Amino acid sequence: MDLREQLVKLTEIGIALSSERNVNNLLDLILAHARNFTSAEGGTLFTREGDKLRFQVTQNDVLSEKLGSGNTGKYLRDRTMPITKTSLSGYTAATGDVLNIPDAYAIPATAEYHFNDEYDRRNNYRTRSLLVVPMKKMDGEVIGVLQLINARDGKGGIVPFHAEYEPLVLSLASQAAVALNNAMLTHDLKQAYLDTIMRLAIAAEFRDTDTAVHIRRMSLYSAAIAEAMGYTADGVEQILYASPMHDIGKIGVSDRILLKPGKLTDEEFAEMKKHTTIGAAILEGAEAPVLRLSYEIALAHHEKWDGSGYPYGKKEADIPISARIVAVADVFDALSSVRCYKPPMPFDKAVQAIREGAGKHFDPACVAAFDKALTRIQSIYREYSDESGAKHKLTGAMPALTRP
Ligand code: C2E
Ligand code: SIN
Ligand code: SIN
Ligand code: FE
């Protein structure tokens, strides 16, 4: 590649990176582009967490051929190492300097850093050339390290990394740092948002933070159904985030009715039904797309396919699809778990009840999707059982959608 080609390529990579919002995909992309750019056989990407580096992704063409793709870096996941100048990536993280090492096994003994041959020994691999580059934000802060392994010469040989590549890889790593920083901010915002809506939803529905699992389950079931209906990843995520608010209107229902251990009188049930319109009133006029979706779900999740539901007795396609999905998830969860007014139904019986509701209570397409997603539904049911309440207490809000 001549310089012009390199610059064009760099620009293309920058654009690709800035449009990727999923942290996992982004990390994979950054490493793949950096390797491609330098003809590196393999590489590892670390992100900085305080005074540690976290191993994020490893790619290696030779090892993935030998061990099967996906097997090369597995053990690296969830591993961290302290940032000290004695390791190569630690040195780069601490100093912000690029290390261009022609032979990992010929580093002078006088150098502050040393090559750790654990990876080589473990995988029966031979690291030769290394290029270790900091991922620096605009303000100079190092938020990660790219370690590229074994530059190829195009004829099957391994050569040192060209020094002239250094500024370009450094620039690529900075672009990556900006994109990663943005993706992580988005991720943090999402977590904060989820945490907030979960707390609100729990306050509204149970007035007791131990019952977080119900709302999580409901929301995960809804997402699983949406996915089985062919929603895009974004669409699934919207449902996942919007559905926890479906019963927010219960905040306007008195404790006496909401927490009543027995059956509701007609009058009490009439009061209870208002949670749909109260919820809609709370969410009405919101601008964020996810809250608009929450609005339609809150209003219409008790409408029924055959028109016998409330508050308006809407039927079939007049009921928003989001609410038709949530209706299945909501009733399935109400049936299969304990409520203050009823014991739980066994899983299989609850599934049967949902199937029987197709075309009456529920949109048949949503029931078909529920059936299609049954394995996933069952694993959510198991993972988020009522007894798992302590494990899933509010600390982490929702299960993380993306690392880190
Ligand atoms: P929820 O407990 O979250 O239940 C949601 C929906 O699941 C119910 O909407 C209903 O369609 C379905 N469902 C729940 N349990 C059963 C059941 O044992 N059999 C059948 N066939 N379906 C069931 P619905 O009926 O409009 O109720 C809305 C909300 O009203 C319920 O939300 C719950 O908070 C409250 N509620 C309903 N019935 C009673 C009751 O007898 N006692 C008390 N204390 N609250 C009730
Ligand atoms: C590794 O174990 O692959 C990383 C070691 C280092 O950066 O020196
Ligand atoms: C999802 O269901 O879309 C993500 C949450 C999870 O897999 O636990
Ligand atoms: Fe409801």
Side-chain angles (χ1 to χ4, degrees):
M1 270 192 287
D2 67 23
L3 188 63
R4 211 193 71 85
E5 285 170 332
Q6 289 177 8
L7 287 173
V8 169
K9 180 114 181 130
L10 202 59
T11 309
E12 285 170 1
I13 296 172
I15 292 166
L17 295 185
S18 61
S19 60
E20 178 58 62
R21 282 171 301 139
N22 177 292
V23 177
N24 277 340
N25 297 349
L26 188 59
L27 293 168
D28 275 331
L29 264 181
I30 292 168
L31 185 55
H33 281 305
R35 285 178 47 218
N36 183 273
F37 206 74
T38 54
S39 306
E41 186 169 279
T44 301
L45 192 157
F46 307 81
T47 54
R48 183 180 194 144
E49 282 174 17
D51 56 1
K52 293 202 186 74
L53 281 179
R54 178 173 294 280
F55 290 80
Q56 291 283 5
V57 212
T58 294
Q59 296 170 0
N60 193 299
D61 290 342
V62 171
L63 286 179
S64 59
E65 235 166 74
K66 210 159 67 180
L67 308 170
S69 62
N71 286 333
T72 56
K74 256 191 193 148
Y75 78 96
L76 294 177
R77 293 241 157 139
D78 303 321
R79 255 185 55 186
T80 59
M81 60 180 200
I83 295 177
T84 61
K85 288 191 190 171
T86 54
S87 76
L88 302 177
S89 37
Y91 183 89
T92 290
T95 61
D97 293 345
V98 173
L99 289 178
N100 189 344
I101 295 169
D103 185 348
Y105 291 85
I107 295 174
T110 51
E112 265 185 279
Y113 44 81
H114 312 284
F115 173 66
N116 175 353
D117 66 355
E118 183 192 338
Y119 182 82
D120 278 9
R121 279 187 284 111
R122 197 190 286 258
N123 294 297
N124 193 18
Y125 182 73
R126 175 68 160 90
T127 300
R128 251 173 245 280
S129 55
L130 282 162
L131 185 62
V132 193
V133 187
M135 293 169 64
K136 277 189 202 171
K137 285 198 318 186
M138 303 290 207
D139 62 6
E141 190 196 344
V142 177
I143 68 162
V145 173
L146 267 172
Q147 185 175 279
L148 301 165
I149 304 176
N150 287 357
R152 287 165 160 160
D153 63 4
K155 287 170 280 183
I158 303 296
V159 292
F161 286 87
H162 276 299
E164 69 202 48
Y165 276 158
E166 284 177 29
L168 286 160
V169 178
L170 201 54
S171 160
L172 176 103
S174 306
Q175 288 189 348
V178 172
L180 186 60
N181 194 49
N182 289 342
M184 292 211 246
L185 282 177
T186 308
H187 176 82
D188 285 352
L189 272 177
K190 278 186 186 173
Q191 286 302 119
Y193 167 76
L194 280 174
D195 195 66
T196 307
I197 58 173
M198 291 296 281
R199 282 164 200 273
L200 270 175
I202 291 156
E205 194 168 352
F206 297 97
R207 288 146 205 196
D208 162 12
T209 53
D210 280 344
T211 38
V213 278
H214 154 63
I215 291 165
R216 275 177 213 186
R217 261 192 325 253
M218 223 288 306
S219 146
L220 289 170
Y221 290 151
S222 302
I225 296 168
E227 193 175 3
M229 294 187 80
Y231 273 54
T232 61
D234 263 355
V236 171
E237 199 179 57
Q238 297 271 313
I239 292 284
L240 184 78
Y241 290 6
S243 54
M245 299 281 249
H246 74 291
D247 270 345
I248 193 78
K250 284 184 177 172
I251 204 147
V253 176
S254 75
D255 279 4
R256 189 183 59 77
I257 296 176
L258 193 66
L259 304 176
K260 183 176 173 177
K263 209 169 156 39
L264 301 180
T265 64
D266 288 351
E267 201 180 310
E268 286 166 342
F269 194 54
E271 204 50 40
M272 177 61 93
K273 285 178 172 177
K274 290 186 188 159
H275 79 277
T276 50
T277 46
I278 295 170
I282 291 170
L283 295 163
E284 189 162 23
E287 275 177 38
V290 66
L291 290 182
R292 287 175 190 265
L293 201 57
S294 295
Y295 163 85
E296 62 180 45
I297 291 170
L299 186 59
H301 71 283
H302 288 290
E303 298 289 5
K304 296 186 181 177
W305 186 249
D306 65 8
S308 66
Y310 61 88
Y312 299 130
K314 287 194 176 194
K315 61 191 280 195
E316 300 180 10
D318 288 341
I319 308 164
I321 181 73
S322 57
R324 284 181 261 151
I325 290 172
V326 169
V328 173
D330 186 33
V331 174
F332 175 73
D333 189 56
L335 292 177
S336 59
S337 59
V338 65
R339 288 287 192 273
C340 65
Y341 62 96
K342 55 164 275 299
M345 200 183 259
F347 181 84
D348 291 338
K349 276 195 75 177
V351 170
Q352 201 44 44
I354 294 297
R355 288 179 182 147
E356 281 160 15
K360 290 176 254 168
H361 189 152
F362 310 117
D363 177 353
C366 295
V367 175
F370 171 85
D371 252 321
K372 193 173 158 198
L374 209 53
T375 311
R376 169 92 182 117
I377 302 273
Q378 186 153 27
S379 67
I380 296 164
Y381 170 84
R382 290 213 185 102
E383 168 75 0
Y384 296 87
S385 67
D386 288 326
E387 294 74 48
S388 74
K391 182 170 135 205
H392 294 296
K393 268 226 168 105
L394 259 182
T395 48
M398 292 281 286
L401 294 170
T402 46
R403 277 181 300 123

